[in-house]
């Protein structure tokens, strides 16, 4: 049955949708031609806390082409957030214009609908608002008294932390801080919504369709079946397109109100204020170790903020529960409600930031112990997830570290900071260990086979999304593999909520879930065809022949894959190691990341090309966390002063290094039948620490506050010294 | 954007005659159009001047060259005569923005680009430069990117151009046409101004004056030059601090020095006193360090930009050293 494997899984084939994208033929949410369409645009509050006292829309309404202005005065009643702080989940409603209250700067307070985009945009400027302003809660420091524990899962402890610290020969207590960051995918959030006869159909760039339809249906109080979302291509999400945001509600409300399809595109500026972000995190680490390097205690306490009416927390401390063997362990998370929009998932929420703190602290402790940081990590390796009290399904962290060290040339590292110099450059090497949960979730797919001469074409349908990661390609390769047909004969149809249900793209579960769902549908098709002819399951037979024997030219089957009992009994993670060489200019504080080596054990690699792409993207984002990504909050007014991509600095090509990516072979059938694990978020995890550790090795300066800018390095005083 | 009318000027006369108080000349539009989208600039009329004839680089009678005001930043920086005779200018210009923006941006527009102060860009914030009398948000707010020299109570913004820092270190003059048909020439050092009580005015141009050309005097720093730009990423970022350094060295002695700093004041900050100090001295570390100390001694930083003083000193020493050590 598997005679044609050239294009099956494991091959680095080009993206099957690549040409469409390069040729501009791949249609994104805002690009669908819809007749009779009009444009909506949101207006944002210019205070962070208070009440709207008046809102004058008369001038805007008078303008050419303006069809409606929606405010709290004429908005329909929607389901609102529950009164108590509710968790901002994937199905949380997205109410808008329900009252006069303003909870954060940039909150939508009105929406203009007009015949053209330009008319809508202009009319927005003519709306006059007055407020009864209150002093917003903006500063973390001034509001520490309001910190609270966001639910039972926020805290964890094992053993006796204080006893563990007393037992230690060497201890470390340090605080690490990371700023507000924004996802800012290239493609702006956008939707074209058509409300028709109580049903709503929209083109909208949502990462997870089955959850988004729930949110929309609950917001408007209509059956879930009456909400359809179509999104064949998404230009990046990085978490910002997981949740349903209020622009969707505005456009839906507008379409219902005026009876025409409504297009809305969130502006780049609104992408800072209205589509989620990573919050500021302050992480206090306490570590203790014996002289031989064995950890005796590890505590990880995180304080961050959430919105006034919605709760989200990034579990920074989770990594400290599972990465190392630690007899005594304590993890807490506290949130302070502020007048800033609700944070949301962004690029490995929890891991990206948590691993910066843990892996910096591990490096600091290794230095205090005078131990090589790789040896120190290996010394504390564990094959059991002590936080969950379950064995890992597979864990090749030691191998990642050793093989990476070899590839990178770690033996050339000078232990003493500030001793590796070249002209004006101080050169440093850094390492960090990475781990990322590899979730796998129930996924359905439907496959339709068609016999055409002697060839079989397959059409696979699922409500999966491709956020630029390569879903189309790996699903096609999976179908090719399990049906034994060339990948060219596979048509992948995704991005429609009417297709069989998947968990969508997010949390690095997409690849494993989608491919197993597709596999199951193909296996079911073959099993059914065999059964009809009484062919035993083990017999190898081409799918074309099976159809012929059945006298069928077409056949369809569905399949649902889901985690096994074994899966539930294990902790399933991907692991990795990051190595970075950094050159710091001794005078100017500017630095260059020269080289990066990333070694990962991430299960079965479906397509090395798309997999490398994920890691390279992850490393770049990790570098972004260190180099300059930071959204600054104005201390007196509470708005983000970082408001465009000209001042929210993401890395440019010149900032990035020579990157070497290695995947270790791994066969983990506990993870799932195909042995596929998540890759995307593994790539960003702990990268920041490997760079910060390299900067320490170069300069002797320990940088604990991201990003590490020239300003901060100059202030740290760059003359090489020893911490 | 707000509605506006558009005129594509066929010649300088048309541009000048069409000008009204609420007009703006349009060069490459890389700054002006952004500011219109942000609702900061609200012209009633745009007069496109990017297509006017001032697109050449010619020799002038002071032994230098004259740059067309409407020539693009890319064409100017990459022009063989500029690279050969004014490599400092070329280096500064190529450190700015991105290739795409430099292709669009004109030399005249570059001189007139407005501050990157985030309060200036956000119409809901107080800003005396955008809305005189509304206050200066940056002074008691976020001022990491702001001035350490020459600011006033009313405004602490910096001028963001790289090109202008090099022009300040060299000697340049800006020629402008007035709406009444006459013209005048402004010394580059007098072209931009300090904020004083009128931060809304970035420069000394009168309404309607059209920049046509920029005159450079005889090249002096074609052998020893360096433009050092310290920024948060390797390209496509404005300078935190930048230094343009040019030296003329004869028989081991500095005979002419040009030194200016960007990112520290409302105008490109020329260190005239330090230039004089360096002239007649040997190009060595001791003198460069003394020059740096002298240059930064009057700096008065704010809470958020204290780093600029130390960074400025290091940058001066480095830029002078690089300029000196450069193989001619
Ligand atoms: C994201 C980004 C990054 C950037 N980074 C840098 C950087 O690192 N360094 C740097 O130096 N610059 C940088 N720039 C700024 C860029 O150099 C300027 O925007 C550009 O030089 C302006 O030229 P322009 O022709 O496009 O001007 P325009 O935007 O067309 O005009 C600017 C102003 O000049 C006026 N004007 C134009 N021509 C004339 C004339 N002939 N006579 C009189 N008035 C005129 C206009 O009315 C307007 O007020 C950046 C810009 C952007 C958008
Ligand atoms: S520094 Fe100048 S530009 Fe910035 S807010 Fe103050 S007045 Fe406005």
């Amino acid at each position: 049955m598997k005679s044609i494997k050239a294009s099956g899984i494991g091959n680095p084939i080009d993206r099957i949708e690549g040409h469409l994208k390069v040729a501009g033929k791949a249609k994104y949410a805002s690009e669908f031609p819809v007749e009779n369409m009009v444009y909506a645009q949101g207006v944002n509050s210019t205070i962070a806390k208070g009440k709207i006292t008046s809102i004058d829309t008369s001038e805007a309404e008078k303008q050419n082409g303006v069809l409606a202005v929606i405010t709290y005065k004429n908005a329909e009643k929607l389901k609102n957030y529950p009164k108590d702080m509710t968790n901002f989940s994937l199905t949380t409603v997205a109410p808008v214009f329900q009252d006069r209250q303003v909870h954060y700067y940039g909150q939508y307070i009105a929406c203009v609908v007009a015949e053209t985009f330009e008319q809508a945009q202009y009319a927005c400027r003519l709306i006059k608002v007055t407020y009864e302003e209150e002093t917003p809660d903006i500063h973390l420091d001034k509001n520490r008294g309001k910190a609270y524990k966001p639910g039972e899962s926020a805290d964890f402890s094992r053993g006796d932390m204080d006893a563990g610290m007393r037992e230690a020969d060497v201890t470390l207590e340090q605080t690490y801080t990371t700023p507000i960051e924004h996802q800012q995918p290239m493609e702006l959030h956008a939707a074209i919504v058509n409300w028709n006869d109580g049903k709503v159909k929209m083109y909208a760039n949502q990462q997870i369709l089955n959850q988004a339809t729930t949110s929309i249906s609950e917001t408007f109080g209509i059956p879930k079946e009456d909400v359809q979302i179509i999104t064949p291509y998404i230009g990046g999400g990085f978490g910002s397109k997981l949740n349903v945001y209020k622009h969707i509600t505005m456009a839906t409300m507008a379409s219902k109100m005026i009876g025409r399809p409504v297009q809305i595109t969130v502006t780049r500026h609104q992408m800072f204020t209205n589509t989620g972000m990573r919050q500021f995190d302050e992480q206090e680490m306490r570590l203790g170790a014996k002289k031989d390097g064995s950890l005796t205690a590890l505590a990880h306490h995180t304080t961050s903020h959430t919105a006034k009416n919605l709760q989200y927390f990034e579990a920074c401390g989770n990594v400290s529960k599972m990465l190392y063997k630690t007899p005594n362990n304590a993890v807490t998370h506290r949130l302070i409600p502020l007048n800033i929009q609700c944070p949301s998932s962004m690029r490995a929420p929890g891991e990206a930031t948590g691993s910066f703190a843990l892996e910096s602290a591990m490096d600091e402790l290794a230095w205090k112990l005078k131990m090589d940081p790789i040896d120190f990590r290996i010394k504390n390796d564990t094959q059991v997830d002590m936080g969950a009290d379950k064995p890992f399904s597979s864990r090749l962290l030691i191998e990642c570290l050793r093989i990476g060290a070899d590839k990178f040339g770690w033996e050339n590292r000078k232990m003493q900071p500030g001793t590796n110099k070249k002209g004006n450059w101080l050169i440093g090497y850094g390492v960090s260990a990475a781990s990322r949960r590899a979730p796998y979730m129930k996924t359905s797919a439907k496959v339709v086979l068609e016999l055409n001469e002697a060839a079989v074409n397959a059409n696979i349908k699922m409500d999966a999304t491709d956020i630029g990661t390569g879903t189309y390609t790996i699903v096609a390769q999976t179908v090719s593999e399990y049906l034994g047909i060339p990948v060219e004969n596979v048509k992948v149809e995704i991005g429609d909520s009417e297709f069989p249900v998947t968990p969508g793209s997010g949390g690095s579960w997409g690849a494993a879930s989608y491919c197993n769902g597709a596999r199951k549908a193909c296996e079911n098709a073959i099993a059914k065809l065999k059964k009809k002819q009484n062919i035993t399951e083990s017999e190898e037979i081409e799918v074309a022949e099976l159809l012929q024997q059945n006298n069928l030219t077409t056949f369809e089957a569905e399949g649902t894959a889901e985690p096994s009992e074994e899966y539930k009994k294990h902790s399933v993670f991907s692991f990795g190691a990051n190595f970075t060489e950094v050159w710091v200019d001794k005078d100017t504080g500017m630095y260059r990341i020269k080289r990066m080596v990333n070694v990962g054990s991430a299960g079965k690699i479906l397509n090395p090309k798309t997999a490398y792409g994920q890691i390279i993207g992850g490393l770049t984002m990790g570098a972004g966390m260190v180099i300059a990504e930071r959204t600054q909050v104005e201390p007196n007014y509470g708005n983000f002063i970082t408001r465009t991509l000209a001042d929210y600095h993401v890395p440019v090509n010149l900032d990035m290094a020579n990157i070497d990516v290695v995947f270790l072979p791994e066969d983990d059938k506990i993870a799932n039948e195909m042995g596929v694990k998540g890759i995307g978020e593994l790539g960003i995890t702990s990268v920041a620490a490997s760079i910060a550790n390299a900067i320490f090795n170069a300069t002797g300066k320990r940088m604990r506050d991201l990003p590490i800018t020239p300003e901060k390095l100059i202030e740290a005083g760059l003359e090489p010294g020893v911490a | 954007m707000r509605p506006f009318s558009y005129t594509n000027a066929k010649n300088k006369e048309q541009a000048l005659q069409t000008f009204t108080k609420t007009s703006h000349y349009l060069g490459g539009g890389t700054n002006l159009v952004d500011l219109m989208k942000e609702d900061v600039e609200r012209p009633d009329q745009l007069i496109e001047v990017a297509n006017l004839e001032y697109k050449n680089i010619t020799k002038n009678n002071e032994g230098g060259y004259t740059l067309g005001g409407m020539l693009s930043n890319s064409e100017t920086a990459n022009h063989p005569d500029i690279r050969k005779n004014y490599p400092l200018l070329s280096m500064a210009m190529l450190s700015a923005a991105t290739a795409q923006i430099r292709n669009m941006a004109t030399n005249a527009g570059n001189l007139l680009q407005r501050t990157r102060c985030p309060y200036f860009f956000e119409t809901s914030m107080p800003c005396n430069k955008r809305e005189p009398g509304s206050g200066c948000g940056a002074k008691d707010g976020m001022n990491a990117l702001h001035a350490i020299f020459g600011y006033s109570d009313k405004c602490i913004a910096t001028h963001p151009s790289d090109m202008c820092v090099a022009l300040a270190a060299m000697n340049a003059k800006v020629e402008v046409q007035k709406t009444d048909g006459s013209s005048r020439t402004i010394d580059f050092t007098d072209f931009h101004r300090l904020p004083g009580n009128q931060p809304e005015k970035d420069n000394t141009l009168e309404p309607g004056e059209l920049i046509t050309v920029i005159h450079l005097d005889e090249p002096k720093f074609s052998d020893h030059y360096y433009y050092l730009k310290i920024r948060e990423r390797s390209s496509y970022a404005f300078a935190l601090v930048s230094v343009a350094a040019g030296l003329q060295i004869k028989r081991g002695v500095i005979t002419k020095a040009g030194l200016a700093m960007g990112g520290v004041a409302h105008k490109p900050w020329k260190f005239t006193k330090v230039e004089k100090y360096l002239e007649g001295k040997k190009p060595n570390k001791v003198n460069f360090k003394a020059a740096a100390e002298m240059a930064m001694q009057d700096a008065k930083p704010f809470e958020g930009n204290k780093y600029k003083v130390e960074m400025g000193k290091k940058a001066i020493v480095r830029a002078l050293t690089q300029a000196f050590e450069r193989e001619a």
Side-chain angles (χ1 to χ4, degrees):
Chain A
M1 152 194 154
K2 291 181 183 169
S3 58
I4 309 161
K5 283 188 60 180
S7 46
I9 58 180
N11 291 299
I13 64 166
D14 290 345
R15 283 168 187 250
I16 60 173
E17 84 290 9
H19 185 264
L20 283 179
K21 284 184 177 167
V22 175
K25 288 183 182 158
K27 275 207 171 49
Y28 290 81
S30 66
E31 300 177 332
F32 285 83
V34 174
E35 254 177 58
N36 207 21
M37 187 172 79
V38 296
Y39 295 80
Q41 182 87 72
V43 181
N44 306 85
S45 76
T46 55
I47 62 164
K49 185 182 183 191
K51 209 164 153 187
I52 300 170
T53 46
S54 76
I55 184 157
D56 177 1
T57 57
S58 55
E59 196 57 31
E61 278 160 5
K62 266 190 253 158
Q63 298 304 311
N64 260 348
V66 173
L67 300 163
V69 180
I70 313 176
T71 67
Y72 75 89
K73 291 182 191 166
N74 58 347
E76 71 169 286
K77 267 266 135 316
L78 301 171
K79 182 161 172 208
N80 219 329
Y81 301 129
K83 283 271 172 291
D84 50 339
M85 274 291 225
T86 180
N87 261 323
F88 187 31
S89 78
L90 297 173
T91 53
T92 299
V93 291
V96 67
F97 310 143
Q98 296 299 293
D99 53 39
R100 297 160 174 260
Q101 294 302 323
V102 174
H103 300 286
Y104 58 91
Y105 202 107
Q107 179 184 315
Y108 292 121
I109 50 160
C111 167
V112 174
V113 193
E115 294 286 347
T116 71
F117 170 71
E118 290 76 12
Q119 288 168 337
Q121 204 191 28
Y122 175 49
C124 283
R125 302 216 156 130
L126 304 175
I127 291 172
K128 295 184 199 78
V129 192
T130 58
Y131 300 97
E132 190 182 300
E133 221 176 318
E134 292 170 55
T135 311
D137 294 341
I138 298 299
H139 302 259
L140 209 73
D141 274 335
K142 290 186 191 157
N143 292 283
R144 283 191 191 271
K146 296 182 185 132
Y148 73 97
K149 176 177 162 187
E152 282 317 302
S153 67
D155 288 9
F156 173 81
S157 92
R158 177 160 34 79
D160 180 340
M161 193 52 212
D162 291 331
M165 288 299 272
R166 279 195 302 272
E167 222 182 286
D169 296 318
V170 180
T171 61
L172 179 91
E173 300 195 26
Q174 283 297 350
T175 301
Y176 303 84
T177 46
T178 54
I180 291 178
E181 294 171 354
H182 276 87
Q183 296 98 338
Q184 292 295 351
M186 280 308 286
E187 185 203 17
L188 300 167
H189 282 243
I192 300 175
V193 184
N194 194 9
W195 181 285
N196 196 347
D197 215 8
K199 295 187 177 180
V200 57
K201 173 178 170 178
M202 63 178 78
Y203 300 97
N205 42 21
Q206 296 294 137
Q207 292 177 228
I208 303 182
L209 302 187
N210 188 45
Q211 311 262 20
T213 50
T214 304
S215 162
I216 295 162
S217 76
E218 290 198 359
T219 303
F220 285 90
I222 55 175
K224 181 175 162 73
E225 303 76 62
D226 292 349
V227 181
Q228 184 186 8
I229 306 178
I230 299 172
T231 181
Y233 302 100
I234 298 176
F238 313 126
S240 77
K241 291 167 183 165
L242 291 171
N243 304 74
V244 171
Y245 285 103
K246 295 171 197 278
H247 62 283
I248 299 277
T249 311
M250 289 196 290
T252 307
M253 201 188 259
S255 176
K256 187 174 172 186
M257 201 166 188
I258 63 166
R260 290 171 69 179
V262 174
Q263 208 257 42
I264 192 159
T265 301
V266 172
T267 65
R268 185 60 70 187
H269 186 197
Q270 289 168 341
M271 293 270 288
F272 282 92
T273 49
N274 299 84
T275 57
M277 61 179 197
R278 196 199 297 282
Q279 72 279 39
F280 167 88
D281 290 311
E282 179 185 86
Q283 303 178 61
E284 285 175 55
M285 305 297 296
R286 288 172 73 209
L287 283 79
K290 289 282 197 197
K291 273 202 195 88
D292 69 355
S294 43
L295 283 170
T296 57
L298 170 56
H300 194 148
H301 303 291
T302 306
T303 306
S304 34
H305 53 97
T306 187
K308 285 284 184 183
N309 52 0
L310 212 51
Q311 165 179 304
Y312 177 89
F313 86 93
E314 191 181 36
C316 296
N318 280 0
V319 62
S320 290
K321 297 182 202 167
M322 53 64 63
L323 192 54
Y324 297 112
K325 187 163 62 199
T326 39
N328 305 297
N329 189 205
V331 170
T332 63
H333 296 90
R334 294 291 175 271
L335 289 182
I336 298 173
L338 294 180
N339 289 103
I340 296 179
Q341 75 158 327
C342 190
S344 66
S345 298
M346 169 169 167
R347 310 177 190 161
E351 282 94 355
T353 37
S355 64
F356 167 66
L358 176 61
E359 289 300 284
S360 295
M362 286 294 282
D363 201 70
E364 294 207 45
L365 195 52
W367 171 246
K368 279 190 154 188
L369 286 160
K370 295 283 170 255
M371 230 176 138
D372 181 281
I374 295 178
D375 297 341
F376 181 43
R377 288 177 170 89
I378 290 175
K379 175 87 191 169
N380 292 291
D381 188 58
T382 171
Q383 291 296 319
V384 177
D385 175 348
M386 296 177 80
D389 202 14
K390 290 178 186 178
F392 288 109
S393 62
S394 59
R395 166 163 163 140
L396 298 179
L397 178 60
I398 294 183
E399 292 77 359
C400 290
L401 285 163
R402 291 216 165 109
I403 291 166
D406 219 39
K407 263 213 116 49
F408 184 75
W410 184 255
E411 75 276 9
N412 299 325
R413 173 179 182 264
K414 299 219 164 69
M415 181 99 169
Q416 189 66 22
T419 54
N420 191 355
K421 299 184 196 173
K422 203 173 215 165
N424 290 318
W425 298 104
L426 303 169
I427 300 170
Y429 288 11
V431 67
S432 62
S435 60
R436 173 67 173 85
R437 191 177 289 284
Y440 165 52
M441 286 186 232
K442 185 171 171 181
T443 302
S444 301
K446 174 176 167 178
V447 67
V448 182
L449 309 178
E450 245 176 62
L451 187 65
N452 191 351
E453 311 274 312
V456 173
N457 291 322
N459 186 341
I460 185 112
K461 281 191 165 82
M462 54 210 308
D463 80 357
T465 53
D466 191 330
I467 57 173
T469 44
T471 305
Y472 280 99
T473 311
I474 55 168
V475 168
Q477 285 179 276
T478 303
V479 174
S480 155
E481 175 86 19
Y482 285 91
L483 292 178
I485 63 173
V487 83
E488 297 76 32
N489 293 12
V490 182
K491 184 169 174 211
V492 180
E493 286 186 73
I494 57 174
D496 188 332
S497 60
E498 312 245 291
F499 294 162
V501 174
T502 74
S505 294
S508 296
W509 59 63
S513 306
Y514 297 155
C515 291
N516 277 289
R519 167 190 60 83
K520 193 71 191 171
C522 295
E523 285 176 349
N524 283 352
I526 287 175
K528 282 186 180 164
L529 287 168
K530 280 182 173 170
K531 197 158 176 215
K532 281 174 187 273
Q533 294 301 311
N534 290 322
I535 299 171
T536 58
E537 279 207 24
S538 56
E539 189 175 326
E540 296 238 340
I541 175 168
E542 297 279 339
V543 64
E545 208 182 318
L546 261 180
L547 286 167
Q548 281 157 353
Q549 286 191 11
N550 276 292
N551 254 332
L552 289 168
T553 52
T554 170
F555 186 70
E556 62 178 64
E558 295 201 17
T560 300
E562 57 194 311
S564 64
E565 284 309 308
E566 273 301 285
Y567 174 92
K568 290 170 199 156
K569 286 186 206 141
H570 288 81
S571 267
V572 184
F573 278 78
S574 298
F575 290 92
N578 288 300
F579 294 82
T580 306
E581 178 178 331
V582 172
W583 289 32
V584 184
D585 186 308
K586 72 173 174 53
D587 294 322
T588 64
M590 284 192 288
Y591 56 92
R592 284 285 151 81
I593 298 168
K594 282 281 172 178
R595 254 169 2 108
M596 290 175 129
V597 172
N598 173 285
V599 183
S601 66
K604 172 126 206 122
I605 301 306
L606 295 158
N607 179 331
K609 212 169 183 174
T610 52
Y612 287 177
Q614 289 289 290
I615 296 286
I616 290 167
L619 295 174
T620 309
M621 292 171 183
M625 289 174 70
V626 184
I627 294 172
E629 279 189 60
R630 147 184 65 177
T631 302
Q632 292 178 306
V633 183
E634 211 293 332
N636 303 312
Y637 301 92
N639 58 311
F640 297 135
I641 67 158
T642 319
R643 41 198 307 291
T644 70
L645 290 184
D647 38 32
Y648 185 82
H649 288 164
V650 298
V652 295
N653 281 320
L654 197 55
D655 288 317
M656 289 312 295
N658 285 323
I659 295 173
D660 209 345
V661 180
V662 181
F663 288 111
L664 301 185
E666 190 176 60
D667 189 22
D668 185 344
K669 288 285 153 48
I670 295 169
N672 49 68
E673 285 86 334
M674 290 172 72
V676 178
K677 287 181 176 180
I679 298 179
E681 291 165 298
L682 179 66
I684 184 174
T685 302
S686 88
V687 176
S690 86
I691 300 168
N693 295 342
I695 289 176
F696 171 76
N697 184 239
T699 64
K701 297 296 167 194
R702 194 54 84 170
M703 305 306 286
R704 303 185 183 95
D705 175 45
L706 295 184
I708 305 173
T709 56
E711 301 94 291
K712 290 184 196 166
L713 280 166
I714 291 265
E715 275 171 356
L718 264 187
E719 294 306 326
V722 173
Chain B
M1 275 197 215
R2 293 171 189 261
F4 59 89
S5 67
Y6 167 84
T7 307
N8 189 356
K10 305 242 161 8
N11 49 45
K12 145 185 110 181
E13 287 72 25
Q14 191 193 357
L16 293 165
Q17 278 155 22
T18 325
F19 192 89
T20 62
K21 256 207 295 218
T22 50
S23 301
H24 258 294
Y25 295 128
L26 178 68
T30 60
N31 188 226
L32 179 55
V33 176
D34 276 6
L35 289 169
M36 288 168 68
K37 289 187 199 158
E38 298 278 10
D39 212 23
V40 172
E41 301 275 19
R42 303 173 181 183
D44 282 341
Q45 178 181 223
L46 290 187
I47 305 168
E48 170 128 28
V49 295
N51 303 318
L52 299 187
E53 63 205 308
Y54 306 97
K55 284 177 171 276
N56 298 314
I57 291 179
T58 51
K59 279 203 167 152
N60 61 31
N61 27 17
E62 273 129 79
Y65 285 78
T66 294
L67 312 178
M70 289 35 163
L71 192 63
S72 76
N73 287 180
S74 302
E75 286 169 290
T76 308
N78 293 316
H79 194 282
D81 288 343
I82 300 303
R83 292 176 64 155
K84 179 160 171 281
N85 297 300
Y86 306 100
L88 177 60
L89 179 62
S90 184
M91 195 175 177
M93 292 180 84
L94 291 176
S95 76
T98 62
Q100 292 88 334
I101 292 173
R102 295 194 297 268
N103 286 343
M104 289 298 291
T106 61
N107 292 335
N110 193 313
L111 266 47
L112 297 176
Q113 63 174 296
R114 311 214 61 190
T115 183
R116 306 303 293 194
C117 171
Y119 296 84
F120 175 71
F121 269 81
E122 173 60 65
T123 52
S124 64
M125 294 281 106
C127 169
N128 286 327
K129 186 180 276 300
R130 178 170 33 75
E131 210 182 310
S134 63
C136 169
K139 216 167 39 141
D140 302 313
M142 306 292 270
N143 43 37
L145 303 174
H146 291 74
I148 55 174
F149 294 117
Y151 51 80
S152 73
D153 221 29
K154 294 264 173 7
C155 177
I156 63 170
T158 58
H159 192 263
S161 165
D162 290 299
M163 176 187 188
C164 292
V165 182
L167 289 175
M170 299 158 38
N171 268 333
K173 291 190 180 70
V174 183
E175 188 173 323
V176 303
Q177 302 287 321
K178 295 167 156 314
T179 45
D180 66 7
S182 66
S183 68
R184 66 177 180 126
T185 301
I186 310 163
D187 251 358
F188 193 73
T189 39
D190 299 329
F191 183 81
H192 295 101
R193 60 186 292 285
L194 293 179
N197 274 328
Q198 276 186 297
E200 67 277 15
K201 281 181 68 111
D202 293 351
N203 50 58
T204 52
L205 282 189
E206 298 297 330
E209 283 187 331
L210 176 74
I211 299 178
T212 50
V213 292
I214 300 162
H215 301 291
L216 307 177
D217 71 356
E218 183 195 354
K220 295 193 187 70
F221 307 131
S222 49
D223 292 339
H224 297 283
Y225 63 89
Y226 199 76
Y227 188 72
L228 177 65
K229 181 171 176 180
I230 303 182
R231 47 184 153 179
E232 287 190 351
R233 60 179 169 188
S234 312
S235 87
Y236 199 21
F238 287 92
L240 298 167
V241 162
S242 69
V243 174
L247 296 172
Q248 199 177 48
I249 300 169
K250 286 187 184 143
R251 277 174 242 99
V253 173
I254 300 169
T255 50
K256 179 89 194 154
L259 191 68
M261 191 173 272
V264 289
H266 199 256
K267 60 190 284 187
W269 199 247
K270 186 174 175 70
F271 296 112
T272 313
K273 205 171 89 187
V274 184
E275 290 173 351
K276 288 275 158 307
Y277 165 82
L278 283 168
E279 285 164 14
K281 299 250 170 13
K282 288 213 163 77
N284 59 31
K285 267 260 137 72
V286 176
N287 288 331
F288 293 164
K289 278 201 168 153
E293 289 296 334
M294 182 188 274
M296 302 310 286
Q297 73 190 6
D298 299 330
K300 288 197 183 63
F302 289 87
E303 192 50 42
N305 64 5
K306 293 200 179 94
Y307 71 92
K308 284 191 179 180
V309 180
E310 185 61 19
M311 189 181 271
K313 286 182 193 169
K314 294 246 164 96
I316 289 174
V317 175
R318 174 65 72 79
L320 286 169
T321 310
Q322 298 278 48
F324 167 54
E325 286 173 358
R326 182 178 291 280
E327 289 301 320

